[in-house]
Amino acid sequence: MIVAFLVYPVVYDLLGRSPLASEAAAFLPGLTFMIAVLYLGLFAMSFDFVSGYTGYLSFGHAAFYGTGAYAVVLATNGKIPGVPADMPFVLTMLLGAVLAGVLALAMGAVSFRLTGVYFAMITLGFAQVLYELVRNWGYVSPNPSEGATVDGGALEIGVPYVDSLGLAVGRLTGDSFENVLGTGFDVSATMTSYYALALVVVVCYFAMQRIIHSPFGKAMIAVRENEERAEAVGYDVFRIKMGAFAMSAFFAGIAGALFAGYSRSVSPESTYFFLVTADALIVTIVGGIGTLAGPLYGTVFHEWLGDVLSTEDDGIATYLRETVPEGLLTTDVGGVTFADVINSVVDGRAPLYLGIVFVLFVLFVPNGLLGTVRDRLGGTVAERTGDVLERYRR
């Protein structure tokens, strides 16, 4: 998976210069969409960390994503008392993640008195309260309902206070490099942001993997499988749930901070709104709940579908309009032309098809993409790959 993400920008760039450029633009997600995959995928993995491994669905998870995002913007704009405006982005990102973790402890102290759908609803209620609060909080910006933007220069990911070990990220503010190592290959600002954000996401992924495979992670799974039995054998169930919730919020806060650092603007709708959590739930189910990496695959599918079915960055609709002969596009059958079909059935219909796919997955692929693959293999891909290599070694 990591190798695929590593080589994708290079392969996409090479295809863009080849005779298959129009097909690549139509059927492969652009680099800006892949950057969204990174921070949204990390957010979905944080959702899966608590929901998939403890069995408690956090419908208010957007609150932690929004806290991380707004913390970066407020800190960078010098609006958090005691935090200098020139604090390195990596530190403000960690600050936002810690604040999200603290918020999770406050929410969890009340919410974990409930279980099942009541837990999901009360976390959703907390998130909606924060959403309304931020929408009307004039301290954030003159027009808080529209959100806030980052003032000043580019934000860097790297070693704090060491300029040579940092990479500026952002849509228009990222670092770019020409003729890298004399190969004639140029690295655009978008590609630099992609690799810098990917580095943070990979570190977070391995951290969550390590926690899941630790004794604490096994306790989380014990709570998910049978909470009463876990308590009976001596686990402090409440503390385990609180710890998992806080750690999950920490990584959700980092995802929100990455979003703010790259987009340089935040709004209540793009962070605290309950549909942000709904998107994480959908991609988690599509990718495989309780698999950690599965939500990232689900996010790739979600963003790919959104990209190829839109005209924002080429897409299938644009490809068909440019390649299908004009005579066929304007052929009228019962008052409907082929161009009308493209406009009505293809262009911008990603949410429609994603909804259909979601229903099909719930009905026929309940374990999601990665969960189904693991079921077929009889274990994780890494475990089975090791077994196969061992057989060849003999």
Side-chain angles (χ1 to χ4, degrees), residues 266-393:
V266 295
S267 69
E269 273 65 28
S270 65
T271 54
Y272 282 98
F273 198 41
F274 72 95
L275 288 181
V276 176
T277 302
D279 285 341
L281 173 64
I282 290 173
V283 299
T284 299
I285 290 176
V286 170
I289 192 166
T291 59
L292 193 61
L296 187 60
Y297 292 111
T299 308
V300 170
F301 178 79
H302 181 280
E303 293 300 314
W304 169 78
L305 197 63
D307 186 24
V308 301
L309 293 180
S310 75
T311 54
E312 180 182 339
D313 189 16
D314 295 312
I316 294 175
T318 302
Y319 177 77
L320 291 174
R321 293 189 188 107
E322 293 176 349
T323 56
V324 173
E326 184 66 23
L328 180 57
L329 281 175
T330 56
T331 300
D332 192 318
V333 179
V336 179
T337 66
F338 188 58
D340 294 333
V341 173
I342 295 173
N343 294 334
S344 304
V345 180
V346 179
D347 197 358
R349 299 301 179 192
L352 169 67
Y353 294 114
L354 185 65
I356 294 173
V357 168
F358 177 70
V359 172
L360 293 176
F361 263 79
V362 171
L363 291 175
F364 302 110
V365 195
N367 293 330
L369 292 171
L370 189 56
T372 302
V373 170
R374 287 179 178 178
D375 289 346
R376 293 291 177 90
L377 293 177
T380 65
V381 176
E383 290 171 349
R384 298 305 300 163
T385 302
D387 293 342
V388 171
L389 292 177
E390 188 63 27
R391 270 204 301 271
Y392 279 110
R393 210 175 285 144

Side-chain angles (χ1 to χ4, degrees), residues 177-202:
F177 305 91
E178 295 182 355
N179 193 21
V180 178
L181 300 176
T183 60
F185 185 76
D186 298 334
V187 176
S188 66
T190 304
M191 195 179 293
T192 302
S193 297
Y194 174 87
Y195 283 117
L197 267 63
L199 177 63
V200 177
V201 172
V202 168

